[in-house]
């Protein structure tokens, strides 16, 4: 029984998931966007930031997202952004399939994360991720352009958004370029924590 | 005791509140965006569409938004869009202050709606609306550009968004041009109905 294909991101109320650049305001906004996740115990321990942290519903959600994920897929830009920033023991702990034109041998890291470089498109990357994930789910990790490619191709089953109470005004939009004539949504769940609103949608093709 | 200044709109998950034009896809999306509100009993009766309708939490929210509103403010484009579309008995039933350069006498309609045309800016329009509203609240009715003008001027106390499970891909964005360096938000409430997620935020100046 194959798992689901999903993505899970934190989005500003005006639809952004990342700053376009890292100016002063943008750095501050980025911290505000993500502020709900930094104190969570699971997030801290998984990134090796230390023991302890919050253990409420937000923490459960971060942990559940990790636990369901048997493999991840990411775009080249997200990989390049993280390559030198992730610790030696990156927070995935599963195979990660990077959609790229770069030909490169698998890059094995500590803690069970191995990056595989896939040169023949998003379909193949997803197939390989599904195989690696077994009966767990495949997470389209990002960035925004890769998520929208999978959405527009009808390959995403559902997604979760942590909607942060912050306005960006500019930056990288989650749904930039989405094919609204093709992608229909169904509300599955909404849950409010003091810091953020967790929204889950199922994707239906029109 | 003066009331609050608020706005309340229905927004697509990707941040749009209206189509840019009324093409075929856009007409369909617009109906999907607003589909949660059409069957509500209060909405139907208030627009004179007939008796009966749904009476759950969505209906209560539509009614509460109407009941709290002692006066509305709107931009010239929203007024011009509605002028020939609203019934003789428009759905406001309070004074409405239109921010415009057009000099025009007050336009009194059936059912207690009178449009007043204010020629000296958003500050004056709001002052007049506050006076007219007494201890009830002032609603910035729209459109998007007018809402953002009030937000950026620090004149909005709180707002509600009915977040619809639909993607627009293009159109008029609610927060286009928002001054993210000035406007900070605080989550107040999130409530899920089967059709839409109702989100409420308080506005704080940075």
């Amino acid at each position: 029984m194959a798992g689901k294909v999903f993505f899970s991101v934190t989005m500003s109320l005006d639809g952004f998931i990342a700053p376009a650049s890292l100016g002063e305001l943008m750095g501050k906004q980025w911290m505000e966007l993500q502020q709900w996740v930094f104190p969570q115990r699971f997030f801290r321990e998984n990134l090796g930031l230390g023991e302890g942290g919050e253990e409420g519903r937000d923490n459960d959600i971060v942990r559940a997202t990790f636990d369901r994920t048997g493999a991840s897929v990411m775009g080249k830009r997200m990989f390049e952004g993280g390559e030198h920033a992730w610790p030696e023991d990156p927070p995935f702990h599963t195979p990660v399939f990077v959609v790229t034109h770069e030909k490169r041998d698998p890059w094995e890291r500590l803690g069970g994360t191995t990056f595989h470089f896939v040169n023949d498109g998003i379909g193949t990357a997803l197939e390989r991720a599904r195989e690696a994930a077994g009966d767990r789910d495949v997470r389209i990790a990002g960035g925004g352009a890769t998520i929208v490619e999978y959405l527009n191709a009808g390959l995403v089953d559902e997604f979760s958004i942590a909607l942060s109470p912050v306005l960006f005004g500019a930056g990288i939009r989650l749904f930039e370029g989405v094919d609204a004539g093709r992608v229909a949504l169904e509300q599955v769940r909404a849950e409010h924590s003091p810091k953020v609103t967790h929204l889950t949608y199922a994707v239906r093709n029109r």
Side-chain angles (χ1 to χ4, degrees), chain A:
Chain A
M1 174 62 193
K4 289 182 176 169
V5 179
F6 78 104
F7 65 85
S8 177
V9 296
T10 298
M11 185 173 89
S12 72
L13 184 59
D14 53 347
F16 297 95
I17 55 171
S21 63
L22 287 166
E24 197 176 318
L25 172 63
M26 273 303 182
K28 192 176 164 195
Q29 287 174 307
W30 170 252
M31 292 299 288
E32 283 181 6
L33 181 73
Q34 301 287 346
Q35 58 83 32
W36 72 278
V37 82
F38 296 131
Q40 304 308 321
R41 176 170 183 161
F42 184 84
F43 177 83
R44 291 172 50 76
E45 292 182 358
N46 192 42
L47 258 180
L49 302 178
E51 299 285 314
E54 295 183 15
E55 296 189 44
R57 188 65 189 123
D58 284 335
N59 189 56
D60 292 345
I61 287 172
V62 178
R63 181 189 302 272
T65 301
F66 177 85
D67 285 346
R68 69 186 285 194
T69 303
S72 292
V73 174
M74 72 178 58
K76 160 194 154 84
R77 257 168 287 170
M78 180 172 175
F79 174 74
E80 286 173 356
E83 185 173 5
H84 302 290
W86 289 309
E88 284 197 349
D89 176 354
F92 305 98
H93 308 295
T94 64
V96 177
F97 297 86
V98 182
V99 183
T100 178
H101 294 293
E102 188 190 3
K103 292 189 197 317
R104 178 168 165 181
D105 288 334
W107 187 38
E108 196 173 332
R109 306 293 281 151
L110 298 179
T113 301
T114 300
F115 294 95
H116 301 271
F117 303 90
V118 182
N119 306 136
D120 42 1
I122 64 169
T124 302
L126 181 57
E127 264 173 50
R128 292 188 56 193
R130 274 186 195 279
E131 252 170 62
D135 55 7
R136 283 199 291 165
D137 297 335
V138 173
R139 178 176 183 171
I140 311 299
T146 301
I147 285 172
V148 165
E149 272 190 79
Y150 277 100
L151 260 182
N152 287 348
L155 295 171
V156 175
D157 297 310
E158 63 171 50
F159 60 86
S160 294
I161 291 176
L163 195 65
S164 256
V166 56
L167 295 170
F168 261 46
I172 294 173
R173 294 186 196 275
L174 174 55
F175 291 111
E176 186 75 49
V178 74
D179 183 351
R182 170 145 196 195
V183 183
L185 305 180
E186 189 182 309
Q187 266 197 164
V188 176
R189 226 173 10 258
E191 201 178 340
H192 185 202
S193 85
K195 294 178 178 168
V196 80
T197 303
H198 298 281
L199 303 165
T200 301
Y201 298 88
V203 182
R204 307 278 179 249
N205 293 328
R206 288 183 186 279

